[in-house]
Each structure stands twice: as C-alpha cells, then as structure tokens.
Amino acid sequence: MFRRYFNNFNPSQRVSRAPRRLNTIFFSLTAAAAYFGRPWSSEEDENHLNPLQKNRLSNRGMYTYNEDENVDKTIRKQGHYVNWVKAGDYDVDEATGKFIGNIYTGDDITNVFMQFASMIVVSFSSFCSYNFIKTFCDFDIYNYDKFEKYFYNHADRPLLTVGNHQSTVDDPVIISMIAPFREVTYDTRRLRWGLCAEEICFKNQFFSSFFGAGKILPIKRNLTQFTKASAIEKTAIVTDNVKNSNERVGINQTRFHAFTNKLQPGHWVHIFPEGRVCQQRLNVPNTNWKRPYLRWGVGKMIVQSVRKGYYPIVLPFYHDGLKDILPCDENDNLISNIPKTGKRVVINFDDPIVYEDLIENYLKKENNTFSDNPWDEIEDSRPPPTKEELKLYSDITKRVMDKLLELETKTKMM
C-alpha cells in the first residue's frame, strides 16, 4: 500500500494543489463570515423577515421580536435600521484615542463572529485592491502625512474624509492604499464607515452581508440633478415627495441619519459628496457640464455633528487614474468589467477644510438655531430646518466643492 502511494506521489502536484486548497478554504471562510456576520438589508422591512432572521436580530438586541401578531409593530419598525448599524460602534477615550468598550450590547459570541467577519472581508478586499494597484499600475500618494496626523493625533474629534468619485471601485482601492495596516487587517474597529447605493451593493442577501461586514452602509439615492441655486432653495421635505411613505430618499432618510451618527470622536467616516461616479470634472455651476452640484448631505452631516458638540475634521483628497482603469461611456455605463492595467493612480491630500466660521456666522444671526427636528421626522410636530439652516448646509458643501476643485487642479499638474 505504501509503495503504491509513493509511486504515485508527485511533489510538484501536491505543492500546486496546496494554494488552491488554501484559496478554497479562505474564500469559504470569507463567504461564511460575511453571510452570517451582518444582518441582511432585507431585514430592515419586517414584511420580508422570516423567523430565522427575526430570531437572529432579536438575539443581538437589535429587534424586539414577538410571536403575538396583535402587538403593534409600527414602533419596532421605525429606527430598526439605525439600531443594527450600532453593532460597529465603540466608545473612545478622547485623550488617548484608544477604544475602551463596545457600545454594541448583543451576545458575546455573535459580537466576536461579527468582528471576525469584518476582519476577513476587509482583509480580503484590501489585499486584492492593494496588490492590483501596486503590481499593475503606477501609484503615487502626496501629502499622506496630513492624513496620518489627523488620524492618529486627534481622537477627540471625528474624522470625515471627502473625495471625488471616479469609478465603482474608488472606495476599496483608495481605502486599501491610505488606511493604516492595522485597520485593514486584524483590527477594523477604527476603519472608515462608508456608503454605497442600495441597488448596487445591497441588491441581494449575500452582497448586503458582505459589504455590511466591510463597514459599508446602504443609502437610497435620489439621482435628480440639481444646480447650485436649486440646491440652496430646496426645502426640508424629502425630494421625491414621499413624505408619508416609508421609502424615503434624500438627506432625511433614516439610513443617512444612521450614517451621520457615525461621526463620533475617534471614528473615521468617508463620503463621496458627488453621490455618483463622475469621470470628467466636478460640476461647476453655470457651465454646460451635466453633473449635479455636490450633494449637500455632506454639509448636513457636519452641522448635525456640530449640533452634538463634535466638530469633525473635514480632510479632503483628490484622486485620479481610476477612471482609466474602469472607464465609463457617455451614459455612465462601464465599458468593460475587466480593469485596465498600466495606468497611473494618484492620491493627493490637503489641509482640513475650514467651515467653523460659517457656523459661527449662522448662529450669530438673530433667532438662528439648529432645528430640534433635523431629520423632518413625520411623527415629530416640531418644525424641520429653516431655509437659513438649509442654506448653511449648502454653503458648507460649496466650500468642500471649492477645495476639491482646487485639489483637482493641483493634482493634474503632478
């Protein structure tokens, strides 16, 4: 028997099979961890909850599940999405920047598994993105010390990075290139929180779990195009006139509220203010370019953070080259799903954006305060933000846009 085994033994064959087996195990663990590590987006709507999903959420303290069909479910349903995303929140010592406790109160076993899921998914996506750029592209990063300075030395304030949006892979590629090694490997607690359109990253259960484990939250997008003037004149009513519907979009939706809540001391949040892929130029008002004025949700995020007493550090960067790796046609459709190689990718940071003077000037004006109903809650009788407060959102966004345009010019010259 042993002779037959050694006669058939081919060392090179065994060695070649080993990586394949390791890859199979790794992908299996990644899929399993992602699938079970985060709730599915379908769990937001109780009409789509099956008993297994309800029990999973109930065990995690994220959902009050009761078999009694006579129990009013309206209150449970409201804010349900806000509750489950708290699974990734942590208390931070503002003096040292160290995590001192997990806000999430689910069972310990589930919590450990969720962190394992996050570690596996983030490590896998970062490894693939980083190695592709380093191997097949020419990569440069400028002023990275600015990011390091505010990431490491200012844990008493939230960190909000803002950048232009050139392709569908901007987030995983850029984060893999700029995030510290610890945050993209074994400890993802301080890794950025990001957004992705529900119809792209959360279109099925597996995608929802995978991207959720990667600290991505879904958002309902309103793709209506606005100019600078229309952005300023908009009211606090949701933009698609579905005020009395649960399918709210725009800057008042529950999901954006949940994302804004991530702006806490010691946490890192990233947003693409354009709200969609833009492969030519950032929109400049009064031009023929069809891109919309930057979505002023970023302005609202900053104001609502200040309202809680946290002045976020708004750190801008401009990146270029990813539009050449995954180019789109004139209708914003990918020309090919296969990334192109041999392209130059550049990331350029700048100093934080100053916005404090805008807030101070707003509060100095008579009767100007921040709304107690900033999310225009349907059940709340208090008035939503005034036109003056909405204009503050827009003015802050305009300053972000000006900085990105300035960075674009500088980066193109590098």
Side-chain angles (χ1 to χ4, degrees), residues 115-135:
Q115 294 308 317
F116 176 72
S118 181
M119 179 189 71
I120 293 294
V121 170
V122 170
S123 298
F124 171 70
S125 59
S126 298
F127 176 82
C128 294
S129 301
Y130 182 89
N131 280 282
F132 176 84
I133 296 298
K134 283 292 189 177
T135 304

Side-chain angles (χ1 to χ4, degrees), residues 142-162:
Y142 297 93
N143 302 313
Y144 183 66
D145 59 304
K146 298 181 186 296
F147 174 80
E148 289 183 310
K149 173 183 176 181
Y150 292 103
F151 183 85
Y152 288 112
N153 301 330
H154 293 270
D156 57 327
R157 298 172 63 183
L159 174 62
L160 174 64
T161 53
V162 294

